[in-house]
Amino acid sequence: MRIFLSCVHLIIAVLMVFVVLFQQRRQGGFTGIFGGGTQADSGQWQRFSGLTKITIVLAAVFMLTSFLLVFMS
């Protein structure tokens, strides 16, 4: 089980690198990260691009497999 989980973890890490590299740059810089948006930004999930959504899901699965690997060792 641990070997299978390690392989899944490695595949997710490689996929996440490729998805992040395929994303386009935005000119906003760090303003959107640190609260530079307006208060009317409800529905944030719909504004994300497809690659951003894939990145979020892959990051969540990567963290989950990381925790599982730590608890299994």
Side-chain angles (χ1 to χ4, degrees):
M1 180 68 179
R2 185 171 179 205
I3 295 173
F4 173 74
L5 198 57
S6 296
C7 291
V8 170
H9 188 72
L10 182 65
I11 290 169
I12 290 172
V14 170
L15 284 175
M16 196 164 49
V17 167
F18 283 121
V19 169
V20 167
L21 288 176
F22 281 135
Q23 291 182 5
Q24 294 181 357
R25 286 189 177 183
R26 298 212 173 117
Q27 296 297 328
F30 287 113
T31 58
I33 296 173
F34 296 116
T38 62
Q39 293 294 332
D41 284 343
S42 62
Q44 184 81 15
W45 185 253
Q46 287 81 18
R47 291 185 23 191
F48 288 147
S49 68
L51 286 176
T52 305
K53 290 178 184 179
I54 292 172
T55 304
I56 292 169
V57 170
L58 285 176
V61 174
F62 182 82
M63 289 181 0
L64 178 69
T65 57
S66 297
F67 287 131
L68 288 174
L69 285 170
V70 167
F71 288 131
M72 289 177 73
S73 64

